[in-house]
Amino acid sequence: MSVSKNEGLLSSVSNDSFYDTSEEAAFSLGSPDSGVHDLSQMTPEAKAKAQEEWTRELAKTEEEINTLRQVLSDKIRKMHDLKRKLGITVWKEFKDDMEQGIRNLQETTAYQKTSQTLKTATEKTSEALGTFGATVTKKFEEVKQSQAFKSLEEKVGSAYSNVKTKVSGTSISQMDASGIKGEPLIEKTNESQIPADKS
């Protein structure tokens, strides 16, 4: 095909089937209330003819829209069927989308700067806490070695021993008199020893 035939073909196609944007601009300016497309200035025959033409064009456009919706619905159904056959689930798609989103986020400069700042802050915090921990340990050792702490430790230790001795002495003497479960082993009377069970 020569260049002149192509140009002729293009000019005939553009004249016949393409929409003129100047018409679109003029049409979009007017609304039924604006008066731009005022049918009152037309003759009744021209008005009826124009309305009939617009009604046919509207019906055709609505039919095309419904056809496109049906085709799209069929394509979506086919896509879901193919995904099911391939084992691609909604959860897998969601997971893949999330992973891709995270990868995209991690590649941004803002994320990388924030990550570096947090890393630096973490290192400095760890260093400060390590120093603080060492200082506290050192101070605690110094307090333990002080004379006041040793004196307090001795007093607490002797008080604990005294309480323990008194408690354990009391419980042993109670156990001797009352038995292991608190039941008297024997009853003492003036005349003789009688077993506790008098049944």
Side-chain angles (χ1 to χ4, degrees):
M1 213 184 252
S2 69
V3 175
S4 63
K5 284 185 180 179
N6 284 342
E7 287 175 6
L9 181 63
L10 288 175
S11 66
S12 68
V13 168
S14 64
N15 289 338
D16 294 340
S17 61
F18 287 111
Y19 186 74
D20 186 7
T21 56
S22 62
E23 288 179 24
E24 180 182 1
F27 183 73
S28 65
L29 293 175
S31 67
D33 297 337
S34 67
V36 173
H37 300 288
D38 191 9
L39 298 177
S40 62
Q41 297 173 1
M42 299 175 85
T43 63
E45 296 84 26
K47 184 177 178 181
K49 187 176 179 182
Q51 285 179 338
E52 185 179 311
E53 176 66 28
W54 293 336
T55 303
R56 277 196 309 270
E57 191 174 336
L58 176 62
K60 182 180 175 186
T61 303
E62 287 175 343
E63 183 181 331
E64 289 172 353
I65 289 171
N66 288 331
T67 303
L68 290 172
R69 283 184 180 150
Q70 184 62 40
V71 168
L72 180 62
S73 176
D74 290 343
K75 295 286 184 185
I76 289 173
R77 193 175 307 115
K78 185 176 181 178
M79 176 190 69
H80 287 298
D81 187 44
L82 290 172
K83 284 182 178 182
R84 184 183 50 77
K85 288 178 181 178
L86 290 170
I88 301 172
T89 62
V90 175
W91 174 250
K92 184 177 182 330
E93 284 183 322
F94 176 74
K95 186 178 130 195
D96 291 344
D97 288 347
M98 289 299 292
E99 288 172 354
Q100 184 61 44
I102 290 170
R103 280 192 296 271
N104 292 345
L105 178 67
Q106 288 174 341
E107 292 171 359
T108 63
T109 55
Y111 178 85
Q112 291 173 354
K113 286 180 181 179
T114 304
S115 177
Q116 184 60 37
T117 303
L118 287 174
K119 183 179 177 185
T120 304
T122 302
E123 289 170 356
K124 288 182 179 181
T125 303
S126 296
E127 183 180 314
L129 288 176
T131 304
F132 176 74
T135 304
V136 168
T137 303
K138 183 179 175 185
K139 288 292 182 186
F140 187 67
E141 288 298 323
E142 289 175 5
V143 168
K144 279 177 66 177
Q145 297 303 323
S146 72
Q147 199 60 29
F149 184 81
K150 287 181 180 181
S151 172
L152 177 66
E153 187 177 31
E154 288 174 8
K155 289 178 183 176
V156 169
S158 65
Y160 174 75
S161 297
N162 290 340
V163 170
K164 182 178 175 185
T165 304
K166 287 182 181 180
V167 169
S168 62
T170 304
S171 64
I172 289 173
S173 64
Q174 285 176 346
M175 191 170 78
D176 288 344
S178 63
I180 295 175
K181 295 184 181 179
E183 299 171 358
L185 296 175
I186 54 171
E187 276 186 23
K188 295 185 181 181
T189 62
N190 291 341
E191 300 170 7
S192 64
Q193 293 183 353
I194 303 171
D197 191 4
K198 298 181 180 181
S199 52

